Amino acid sequence: MKKYPISTYFYFIIPSLIGVLLFMTPVLTDAGWKVPIAILANLLAGIVSPVISYFTVSMFAISAIGSVIAKFIPRKNTKEPSILDSLFYVNWFWTIVRLIGLVFASMVVFNFGPAAIINENTGGLLMDPNDGLVTFLFTIFLFAGLLLPFLTNFGLLEFFGTMMVKIMRPLFKSPGRSSVDALTSWVGDGTIGVLMTSKQYEMGNYTKKESAIIATSFSVVSITFCIVVLETVHLEHYFIPYYLTVVLCGIVLAIIMPRIYPLANKEDTYIDGTPVDLSREQLPKGYNSVTHGLENALTVAHANRDPRQFLKDGFRNVLDLWIGVAPIVMAFGTTALMLAEFTSIFTVLGMPFEPILKVLGLPEAAEAAQTMVVGFADMFLPSILGAGIEAETTRFVIAVVSVSQLIYMSEVGGLILGTKIPLKFFDLVVLFLLRTIISLPIAALVAHILF
């Protein structure tokens, strides 16, 4: 094993522990269990709520106008793209989506335009200055972006990745380091998991297939949200069996989904086009998983001793999220919520699930059918619609499936589309439906055992 000075060990251990504390250690608050990064975001959100909506529109304007201007300025041919290049040089499709995000946000904040857009259950829901998703994303992105290097830059991923590869690779077809992404999502928040996955993909640590697998298999909702879902369907006294069922569904889905379309069809190449290199996961002669993981971690920590690089990476993360991701969430999230609120599309799309629910022996199948698909718009809608169903069995299934679906356009889905992770809208639709179909019989089986 290579020799490193004692200071390098401290550069690995102390920042990594800080990262674990911030992103992965739940703390009990008045609102339930939350990780410190979310607590900080909530505190800041409360302070800036009077101005956050205007700040959000301003950032959306910079995003949209900057992207349009970039279309008329030739891009410099440099090996290392500048931060302005990465922020504004996007194709026309994403430029138009950014413009739509700006228009929607402006309509809500300045109260003009169609009622379908500014309604409190559509654009108004996302842009609510107190607890709207988009406005909250600006505060969570600030802390997550600035502090994410604690998790990624000092060897934590390398250390655990080397030890976990024998579990993650055969089971989930993902690198060992994705275990940290998974735990961060399960304990903390799915949006942070997507952020981590996107950054690891851009840094060349995940292939296209791996990043797609990790973002759509492990970026689950937090434990706190699971509690809220269960309270909404009036089954909070069943939390332990409920959460164990969610975990079971999550594991089964994470094993199956990488082996079928569309994830199985993704290219196993890195962002620069080079093929997957599994040799980086092999143990050199004379090493075990712990010693090799420690050496990999120390190598990374030794290369990141400059605090200026930490700050540069952090601020770049924040700007990328504010300018590149948040407008996408606004555009796609508002559109999905409008379809859910003002059209019968989800009722129609849910009709094929009615006979499936009947076969599974679930009461009130007709009323529950639309809850199987409406979650594509927003994760909370199935619980709201299912709260009035009398049968506890059916309400339990709705609560489990709504969390297991994972692809919500108002949050994780919109977030994925805003990143460089190679997943298209059609991919997300297929993944959502497959996750629903696979998790449904598991949830129904447990429900029949419980009730």
Side-chain angles (χ1 to χ4, degrees):
M1 184 171 167
K2 295 179 183 176
K3 297 287 187 181
Y4 285 98
I6 294 296
S7 60
T8 300
Y9 283 81
F10 285 114
Y11 269 99
F12 159 52
I13 295 171
I14 294 176
S16 296
L17 286 176
I18 293 173
V20 169
L21 174 66
L22 290 171
F23 288 89
M24 301 166 65
T25 308
V27 177
L28 183 60
T29 69
D30 293 338
W33 291 94
K34 291 182 179 292
V35 290
I37 201 79
I39 296 173
L40 291 172
N42 281 317
L43 288 173
L44 180 60
I47 296 171
V48 301
S49 60
V51 296
I52 188 62
S53 297
Y54 302 104
F55 179 77
T56 300
V57 171
S58 299
M59 296 307 297
F60 284 4
I62 292 172
S63 173
I65 296 170
S67 301
V68 172
I69 293 174
K71 289 295 174 189
F72 303 98
I73 300 176
R75 188 172 185 173
K76 296 179 181 178
N77 293 320
T78 56
K79 291 183 179 179
E80 180 67 28
S82 69
I83 188 169
L84 292 178
D85 288 342
S86 62
L87 289 176
F88 298 114
Y89 281 93
V90 295
N91 61 37
W92 270 113
F93 174 78
W94 292 116
T95 300
I96 292 171
V97 173
R98 289 181 178 190
L99 285 166
I100 293 172
L102 170 62
V103 172
F104 285 175
S106 300
M107 286 180 174
V108 173
V109 173
F110 299 108
N111 196 29
F112 72 93
I117 294 174
I118 64 176
N119 187 277
E120 62 180 7
N121 294 319
T122 57
L125 178 67
L126 295 176
M127 286 294 294
D128 188 311
N130 295 311
D131 57 3
L133 172 67
V134 172
T135 48
F136 175 68
L137 284 179
F138 270 79
T139 55
I140 192 72
F141 281 171
L142 174 64
F143 289 107
L146 281 176
L147 303 176
L148 190 64
F150 279 122
L151 280 182
T152 61
N153 287 20
F154 297 97
L156 184 71
L157 295 177
E158 285 71 20
F159 182 66
F160 281 102
T162 305
M163 293 191 292
M164 292 295 293
V165 68
K166 291 184 179 180
I167 297 175
M168 302 301 291
R169 181 63 69 183
L171 277 182
F172 311 121
K173 292 189 176 294
S174 63
R177 64 171 52 227
S178 63
S179 60
V180 179
D181 292 49
L183 189 58
T184 300
S185 294
W186 278 93
V187 177
D189 189 85
T191 56
I192 300 174
V194 173
L195 166 60
M196 280 191 66
T197 304
S198 175
K199 291 304 170 186
Q200 289 297 298
Y201 170 62
E202 291 178 38
M203 292 167 65
N205 292 320
Y206 294 153
T207 65
K208 295 175 182 177
K209 177 184 284 189
E210 290 168 354
S211 65
I213 289 171
I214 298 162
T216 57
S217 298
F218 300 128
S219 300
V220 296
V221 299
S222 66
I223 294 174
T224 298
F225 182 79
C226 288
I227 295 172
V228 174
V229 167
L230 211 55
E231 288 176 346
T232 303
V233 296
H234 315 298
L235 293 172
E236 54 268 27
H237 45 293
Y238 287 99
F239 178 76
I240 292 177
Y242 165 73
Y243 196 70
L244 289 176
T245 309
V246 170
V247 172
L248 175 62
C249 287
I251 293 173
V252 171
L253 287 164
I255 293 172
I256 294 174
M257 299 304 290
R259 292 168 169 81
I260 60 177
Y261 177 86
L263 296 180
N265 290 46
K266 294 297 177 184
E267 292 182 29
D268 218 3
T269 57
Y270 296 101
I271 194 169
D272 61 359
T274 57
V276 62
D277 180 15
L278 296 181
S279 64
R280 65 169 73 181
E281 296 180 351
Q282 295 176 356
L283 292 176
K285 188 176 180 180
Y287 285 83
N288 57 41
S289 58
V290 176
T291 55
H292 187 48
L294 181 59
E295 182 174 288
N296 288 338
L298 293 173
T299 301
V300 171
H302 192 72
N304 286 282
R305 298 167 69 96
D306 187 352
R308 291 173 299 180
Q309 187 62 42
F310 177 95
L311 293 173
K312 179 182 177 182
D313 290 345
F315 278 111
R316 186 165 188 154
N317 287 342
V318 173
L319 290 175
D320 190 34
L321 292 165
W322 281 354
I323 291 175
V325 177
I328 310 301
V329 177
M330 183 66 196
F332 282 108
T334 303
T335 302
L337 290 172
M338 281 194 292
L339 291 174
E341 184 75 12
F342 296 104
T343 74
S344 59
I345 186 169
F346 289 109
T347 303
V348 173
L349 292 175
M351 290 174 66
F353 281 93
E354 185 175 344
I356 298 175
L357 294 172
K358 287 182 178 178
V359 169
L360 292 173
L362 297 175
E364 301 176 77
E367 292 80 359
Q370 68 168 321
T371 69
M372 295 295 108
V373 292
V374 73
F376 187 69
D378 181 73
M379 70 183 87
F380 207 48
L381 290 177
S383 301
I384 295 173
L385 294 176
I389 292 175
E390 292 184 13
E392 290 186 332
T393 309
T394 305
R395 279 186 277 130
F396 181 87
V397 170
I398 291 170
V400 171
V401 173
S402 68
V403 171
S404 302
Q405 288 168 327
L406 194 147
I407 312 295
Y408 322 104
M409 291 310 298
S410 65
E411 192 186 60
V412 170
L415 201 55
I416 289 172
L417 291 177
T419 67
K420 293 182 173 64
I421 297 171
L423 286 165
K424 297 179 180 178
F425 180 78
F426 180 74
D427 294 328
L428 298 184
V429 173
V430 174
L431 289 166
F432 174 86
L433 292 174
L434 288 173
R435 293 183 68 89
T436 304
I437 292 168
I438 295 170
S439 61
L440 189 51
I442 300 173
L445 175 61
V446 177
H448 284 304
I449 293 172
L450 281 176
F451 301 98

